[in-house]
Amino acid sequence: MMIPFIASDSEASVVDVQLLTLGTAIVVFIIFFVLAAKFVWPQILKGLDERDQKLRDDLDSAEEARKQAKSALAEYEEELAKARTEAGELITKARQAAKAAAEELRSNNTRELAEMKNAATADINAAKKAAIGELHNEASTLAVAIASRILDREISSEDQQTLLSESLAELGQTK
Amino acid sequence: MFPFLASNNPIHHILDKPISGTEHITLLGKPALTMHMASLIIAATIAFIVLRCAAKRISIGKESEGTDRYLTKGRLSQIIEVITIYMRDKVIQPVLGHDTNKFLPYLLSLFFFILVCNILGMIPFADIQVVAGKITESSEMDWAFFGGTATSNLGVTVGLAIVSFFVIQVHAFKSLGIGGWAHHLTGGAPLYLLPIMFPIEFMGMFIKPAALAIRLFANMVAGHTMLAVLTMFGMMAFSATQNWLLTGSIEAVSVVAAVCISFLELFVAFLQAFIFMFLTAVFIGQMSHHDEHEAHAEATH
């Protein structure tokens, strides 16, 4: 039975340094390092740096956007407050104008009503006066006619006038 | 019993072995092709392929993908991304400062290479191959082509430490200049302490990477030895008692304990890869040109 491992163990020790193994380790590691330095680490480190840069840029732009949004919000709020003030002023002015217009309208109406009332009163009075005058005339004419028939005589115009005046006076007293 | 699996010495499971069928190929009297070498190559290949796939997924995609192109797809890629970001921002950047980007590829390669070696060592590939060979063929030969923890081989860890040593020293010369490098060897102490400081600092230059190598090696050996011991308890019980019931009971406890230790080993695999990489970064950082030190030195003069 061939047992190469155990056969060589009697001479070997863990602290033996085999020059060939040492040389192999150096050569293998240097080859690995050269290949890794050429094909691995530049890519990885570049990727990490680009990712870092991207994160930083994104954070910066997010911060910038936040600042812009904040200033825009402040601006909008300021404009909104201004618009509210203006709207308030406009409403107050409109109310005052409406109030003034209503007041004017009411005073006009009142005045017109008063004028119409006065005119109507004047008309009524005039009509009343005319009616009374006409009534007096009719009454006097009628009275003269009646009286003429009763007395069967003509009454002169002076008499008629006297009678009329007296009658009117009596009528005035009775009214 | 399989001789490979049934070795009565737990250290045998950690030792490097020649690849099956290549025992006769030797160099300087030692096997020229060993399983740890194969494991190193496989680990490097796996690490490169995984990292390459992750790199494609981590990099930013085409514009036609919209905002999705900024997303990393796949969990493994996300894990690698998170590890890379953590290493860069929290570990290497504080130590190396403006030199971070220069050394990042080396340090990350070191970390992932050691990590993959450590994790591959957690999977008993050699034992699986032996068992599979026994099942599929009636050969009495133990067939295994790769396996074992490459980082439990002192040769491997010393090799990695040597690379780190050169990286540290080359950076020191470039950053500090010959004068600065020599000044660093005095430890900044007064001139009369030079006979003491110089040998200490000079030895320290080599001891630092040596400590890296020994730390990684010792941790890997210790963990795997413990796992081997735990899994061998059942066999030892059977050899001693020939009682299947007792062997089964002991083996059950051993397996539970081995599973628990395996979790610890998984943590150690990450931790040791991190420590090797981190201390290399620290040693590089110590050899960097520090503006504030210079300013302080000028102010005191």
Side-chain angles (χ1 to χ4, degrees):
Chain A
M1 191 165 72
M2 192 174 172
I3 312 169
F5 306 111
I6 294 174
S8 63
D9 286 347
S10 56
E11 300 165 8
S13 159
V14 285
V15 289
D16 280 352
V17 176
Q18 303 290 337
L19 287 178
L20 206 59
T21 312
L22 188 151
T24 307
I26 293 175
V27 170
V28 168
F29 175 69
I30 288 176
I31 291 171
F32 168 73
F33 165 61
V34 169
L35 289 175
K38 191 168 173 59
F39 297 110
V40 174
W41 300 119
Q43 274 193 2
I44 290 182
L45 297 174
K46 187 169 169 256
L48 295 178
D49 286 343
E50 283 178 0
R51 194 163 295 139
D52 273 0
Q53 196 56 47
K54 164 81 175 159
L55 284 173
R56 279 179 215 281
D57 289 349
D58 285 357
L59 285 173
D60 286 347
S61 47
E63 182 64 24
E64 188 64 29
R66 197 182 67 84
K67 278 181 187 168
Q68 282 178 359
K70 203 175 172 183
S71 69
L73 183 69
E75 202 175 307
Y76 291 147
E77 278 177 353
E78 194 181 333
E79 281 181 9
L80 189 66
K82 204 190 281 181
R84 275 188 183 144
T85 313
E86 282 177 8
E89 284 171 3
L90 282 173
I91 289 167
T92 311
K93 277 182 187 171
R95 273 185 188 153
Q96 284 173 349
K99 202 174 171 183
E103 196 66 35
E104 192 182 346
L105 193 65
R106 194 169 59 187
S107 65
N108 284 346
N109 286 345
T110 310
R111 186 168 46 78
E112 279 175 11
L113 277 172
E115 283 172 4
M116 283 168 73
K117 190 180 169 185
N118 291 338
T121 310
D123 287 349
I124 290 166
N125 287 337
K128 190 179 167 185
K129 198 178 265 183
I132 291 169
E134 201 173 327
L135 190 65
H136 284 181
N137 287 337
E138 285 291 324
S140 62
T141 309
L142 193 63
V144 168
I146 293 167
S148 300
R149 279 182 190 174
I150 295 168
L151 296 174
D152 199 15
R153 67 172 180 106
E154 281 288 326
I155 298 172
S156 66
S157 57
E158 287 89 11
D159 293 340
Q160 191 178 346
Q161 192 60 46
T162 308
L163 282 169
L164 185 62
S165 299
E166 286 173 358
S167 300
L168 282 172
E170 283 174 10
L171 191 68
Q173 284 172 355
T174 55
K175 200 169 65 170
Chain B
M1 300 291 282
F2 307 135
F4 180 76
L5 300 171
S7 172
N8 58 4
N9 184 348
I11 297 296
H12 291 164
H13 291 270
I14 295 150
L15 287 172
D16 197 8
K17 301 165 189 76
I19 294 171
S20 299
T22 67
E23 294 84 2
H24 59 282
I25 306 171
T26 56
L27 197 72
L28 304 169
K30 302 285 182 186
L33 300 168
T34 66
M35 286 168 58
H36 282 176
M37 291 179 190
S39 292
L40 277 173
I41 294 167
I42 289 168
T45 309
I46 290 173
F48 179 73
I49 291 169
V50 169
L51 288 173
R52 176 84 182 130
C53 292
K56 282 182 180 168
R57 291 177 168 200
I58 291 170
S59 60
I60 308 300
K62 296 171 187 170
E63 281 194 28
S64 57
E65 292 174 40
T67 49
D68 277 357
R69 71 201 170 106
Y70 289 102
L71 298 177
T72 301
K73 293 103 189 166
R75 283 190 186 171
L76 190 60
S77 306
Q78 287 167 348
I79 290 169
I80 289 169
E81 182 186 336
V82 169
I83 290 173
T84 305
I85 291 172
Y86 177 77
M87 293 293 183
R88 185 187 64 179
D89 297 346
K90 303 286 179 191
V91 179
I92 300 171
Q93 174 77 36
V95 175
L96 292 182
H98 57 269
D99 284 332
T100 301
N101 287 339
K102 198 164 127 191
F103 290 101
L104 208 50
Y106 171 71
L107 293 169
L108 290 172
S109 300
L110 191 63
F111 171 77
F112 281 105
F113 181 73
I114 295 171
L115 180 65
V116 174
C117 284
N118 292 351
I119 289 175
L120 281 186
M122 296 288 298
I123 306 166
F125 284 117
D127 303 297
I128 291 168
Q129 288 170 77
V130 170
V131 172
K134 292 288 174 192
I135 292 168
T136 54
E137 293 180 33
S138 56
S139 165
E140 289 189 354
M141 171 80 178
D142 287 336
W143 287 99
F145 302 98
F146 72 98
T149 315
T151 42
S152 68
N153 188 320
L154 193 57
V156 172
T157 59
V158 167
L160 294 173
I162 286 172
V163 177
S164 281
F165 170 79
F166 279 107
V167 169
I168 294 163
Q169 294 308 320
V170 168
H171 168 67
F173 276 115
K174 277 188 175 177
S175 173
L176 304 171
I178 300 287
W181 179 78
H183 178 72
H184 213 276
L185 285 180
T186 65
L191 216 61
Y192 58 87
L193 285 176
L194 203 64
I196 301 169
M197 289 308 291
F198 182 77
I200 290 173
E201 287 290 332
F202 188 76
M203 283 193 293
M205 208 165 68
F206 298 98
I207 289 169
K208 282 171 186 171
L212 288 179
I214 291 167
R215 184 183 296 107
L216 177 60
F217 156 76
N219 273 281
M220 289 298 116
V221 167
H224 286 270
T225 307
M226 185 180 274
L227 276 177
V229 168
L230 283 170
T231 48
M232 284 167 67
F233 274 149
M235 188 189 71
M236 289 158 71
F238 185 75
S239 304
T241 64
Q242 303 291 314
N243 184 334
W244 281 107
L245 186 67
L246 187 67
T247 305
S249 311
I250 289 172
E251 192 61 37
V253 176
S254 299
V255 166
V256 171
V259 168
C260 296
I261 293 296
S262 292
F263 280 115
L264 182 68
E265 275 300 292
L266 196 60
F267 169 68
V268 170
F270 278 85
L271 183 70
Q272 290 308 318
F274 173 78
I275 288 175
F276 198 108
M277 182 278 296
F278 177 63
L279 288 180
T280 302
V282 169
F283 297 151
I284 292 170
Q286 283 176 347
M287 290 297 186
S288 292
H289 180 78
H290 301 293
D291 293 337
E292 63 272 25
H293 289 183
E294 294 291 319
H296 179 68
E298 280 174 15
T300 50
H301 288 299

